């Protein structure tokens, strides 16, 4: 995130099988309205897997830099 405070933070979790095929994805907003530079905050996301076995996942983060 760098040296800037962030707002409107959205998370996207993507779950993959061992062949890197997407099993599920989910989008959620953080419960905090503002995240200070260097700060951390916990989060939880529930994912429903229609089939397959999870091998790995990634969480992508998007947000707006506070002006």
């Amino acid at each position: 995130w760098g040296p800037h405070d962030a707002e409107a933070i959205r998370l996207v979790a993507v779950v993959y099988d061992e062949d890197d095929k997407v099993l599920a994805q989910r989008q959620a907003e953080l419960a905090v309205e503002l995240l200070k530079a260097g700060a951390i905050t916990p989060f939880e996301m529930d994912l429903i897997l229609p089939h397959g076995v999870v091998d790995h996942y990634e969480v992508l983060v998007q947000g707006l830099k506070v002006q």
Side-chain angles (χ1 to χ4, degrees):
W1 281 91
H4 304 286
D5 296 346
E7 61 185 355
I9 301 164
R10 182 172 298 272
L11 306 172
V12 179
V14 185
V15 179
Y16 302 91
D17 68 10
E18 64 182 11
D19 296 322
D20 285 332
K21 292 182 183 173
V22 175
L23 297 176
Q25 66 181 25
R26 179 81 186 256
Q27 188 174 164
E29 292 185 20
L30 279 184
V32 298
E33 292 184 24
L34 174 71
L35 193 62
K36 294 287 194 180
I40 59 173
T41 188
F43 67 92
E44 291 183 20
M45 296 177 87
D46 293 324
L47 290 162
I48 298 172
L49 299 176
H51 64 277
V53 176
V54 175
D55 180 69
H56 59 282
Y57 66 92
E58 65 181 331
V59 178
L60 308 169
V61 181
Q62 303 170 331
L64 301 175
K65 180 172 71 170
V66 176
Q67 299 296 323

